[in-house]
Amino acid sequence: MTTHTIEFPYTRTLGPVIGPFLTGLRDGHVLGVRNRDGRVLVPPLEWDPATGEAIDVDFVEVGPAGTVETWAWVTEPTRKHPLDHPFAFALIRLDGADTALLHAVDAGSMDRMRTGMRVVARWKDERAGHITDLSFVPEEAA
Amino acid sequence: MDDIAIIGYAQSPSQRRAELTEPQFLFPVISEAIERANVERRDIGFTCAGSCDYLSGQTFAFVMNLEAVGAWPPISESHVEMDGAWALYEAWVRLQHGDIDVALAFGSGKSSPGDPSEIYPLQLDPYTLTPLGADPVSMAALQARAMLDKGTITEQEMAEIAVRSRTNAANNPYAQVRGSGDVDTLLREPYVTAPLRRHDLPPISDGASAVVLATADKARAVCERPVWIRGIDHRIEPHQPGMRDLTESISTRQAGRHAGIDHGPVEVAELSATFSHQEKLLREALGLGDEVQVNPSGGALAANPVMAVGLARIAEAARAISERGVSRALAHATSGQCLQQNLVCVLEGA
């Protein structure tokens, strides 16, 4: 048997918006952008989804706490999910943001989840500039 | 826009795991659609396919599906990495040019070789959504919870939709999930991903559908009861699920308006509601009252051949007109997570 390793020796830039967003996560900050109407979009986008207009890059730090707008309790996580035990996917409106971010809430039990609850970011010690550098926990548990 | 008619359609039975390859189970479907259209393969001036290479796990897998069409001598064809309903849209646009008079649209998908919960996140934003493994059941559960919180649906209503779909599917030879069952029994089942139970989810299906279109003169020449496409439109909403109202479907409402559903009463609606709660959401977006028969085929909760299910809705709406005497029907197809993109097609008999 022979072993082959396939490599893609490319580097690429993530651009002027997602790049700083992921670098911010590495440094322990969540960044949003302000659109022309003054609304703060998180995750930040290069174009306004409502109008299609380019967004002048104006970063705003949001969170690290926020409010759960809706949630789903995952009983059996797949190997692609960010947590290996039951957790909630939630749309979280971070403090200072006008849109909600999809992320995981490590609540321990479905009984602890409810719409409107407060959650706060829990950062990994080793961060790589990746959306999974953080997850969320109920605020009272933090 | 010139009137274009549906002159032939066919579907495969949906199966949890087809033993045949995708081109193999497509072949009889395409042959049947062409035969019912009363035309020859050589009469087809344009062919458009809808399928997804991610399901087969193979680049350019869609090219193999052309074996089911017959591409020699060379034919004029195209492909959309979308449901076959969007292939039909492209074929409809192509026929507007007026230089050809017959077009074939088909959709096919074989979901069984893979795990949908791992494949679907690959269609999402690669930086913020795919790495979270945001699977379609979890996304739909977020939407259902938002509707429950807003009070626009109850778990009881969701179970009632599932029961009605299964009951309707009893007479559909292409359906995969049939039977009656009662609401109270279903509501005692555990959650799969709360607030969704198994009956709120679509089956995993392998299957195909095909539709033959023709220009007005050709349709009248070859077909006794052409089914006319009076309007067709599709609209899309922001990709991020947290940047739109999941409890409404603005894009469906807009597509319906532009397709002209208000120009007359709708008798039958075939909706691609792949999760129970989405049926109610779509009914409201399209303004369908209790007098409208929704998903007499059983809909997507009874058979969900991904990439073919939306085109199957168009085929079922056409069947209601040509075989059951309905005079006006609408079909809906969707794409993306939580009804991100929606297509509405209005069909009429005479």
Side-chain angles (χ1 to χ4, degrees), chain A residues 60-74:
Chain A
V60 181
E61 185 166 351
V62 297
T67 304
V68 168
E69 293 197 330
T70 183
W71 55 279
W73 187 255
V74 179

Side-chain angles (χ1 to χ4, degrees), chain B residues 104-178:
Chain B
L104 165 70
F106 64 94
S108 59
K110 192 167 177 177
S111 293
S112 60
D115 178 348
S117 73
E118 295 194 3
I119 292 171
Y120 281 75
L122 299 173
Q123 77 178 334
L124 303 178
D125 180 289
Y127 308 111
T128 60
L129 297 173
T130 303
L132 297 174
D135 59 285
V137 174
S138 297
M139 294 299 96
L142 292 173
Q143 185 175 41
R145 169 72 61 202
M147 288 178 70
L148 290 166
D149 285 343
K150 197 176 169 185
T152 54
I153 202 163
T154 62
E155 292 183 29
Q156 165 107 8
E157 283 179 279
M158 288 158 64
E160 284 166 4
I161 288 167
V163 167
R164 206 199 61 244
S165 296
R166 293 173 180 195
T167 308
N168 287 355
N171 298 319
N172 179 355
Y174 310 115
Q176 188 179 334
V177 181
R178 296 193 190 90

Side-chain angles (χ1 to χ4, degrees), chain B residues 59-248:
Chain B
T59 46
F60 291 94
F62 68 90
V63 176
M64 277 175 275
N65 290 340
L66 285 174
E67 296 291 348
V69 179
W72 185 266
I75 62 168
S76 170
E77 61 84 28
S78 178
H79 172 258
V80 292
E81 195 82 4
M82 303 187 79
D83 188 287
W86 275 267
L88 179 139
Y89 184 88
E90 184 175 332
W92 175 83
V93 170
R94 179 65 187 83
L95 284 168
Q96 298 293 335
H97 286 273
D99 58 323
I100 59 167
D101 51 16
V102 181
L104 165 70
F106 64 94
S108 59
K110 192 167 177 177
S111 293
S112 60
D115 178 348
S117 73
E118 295 194 3
I119 292 171
Y120 281 75
L122 299 173
Q123 77 178 334
L124 303 178
D125 180 289
Y127 308 111
T128 60
L129 297 173
T130 303
L132 297 174
D135 59 285
V137 174
S138 297
M139 294 299 96
L142 292 173
Q143 185 175 41
R145 169 72 61 202
M147 288 178 70
L148 290 166
D149 285 343
K150 197 176 169 185
T152 54
I153 202 163
T154 62
E155 292 183 29
Q156 165 107 8
E157 283 179 279
M158 288 158 64
E160 284 166 4
I161 288 167
V163 167
R164 206 199 61 244
S165 296
R166 293 173 180 195
T167 308
N168 287 355
N171 298 319
N172 179 355
Y174 310 115
Q176 188 179 334
V177 181
R178 296 193 190 90
S180 45
D182 73 281
V183 169
D184 293 338
T185 309
L186 293 183
L187 286 173
R188 281 196 291 272
E189 294 290 315
Y191 292 118
V192 175
T193 297
L196 300 180
R197 297 180 175 84
R198 191 171 173 78
H199 62 257
D200 297 309
L201 276 49
I204 296 172
S205 311
D206 294 347
S209 54
V211 169
V212 179
L213 302 179
T215 53
D217 288 347
K218 181 72 175 183
R220 290 193 190 95
V222 299
C223 184
E224 216 169 288
R225 278 185 65 93
V227 175
W228 300 99
I229 298 176
R230 294 300 188 207
I232 184 166
D233 193 82
H234 63 97
R235 304 275 152 166
I236 192 165
E237 289 177 65
H239 182 73
Q240 285 287 341
M243 292 191 185
R244 60 189 171 101
D245 184 351
L246 296 181
T247 66
E248 290 191 50

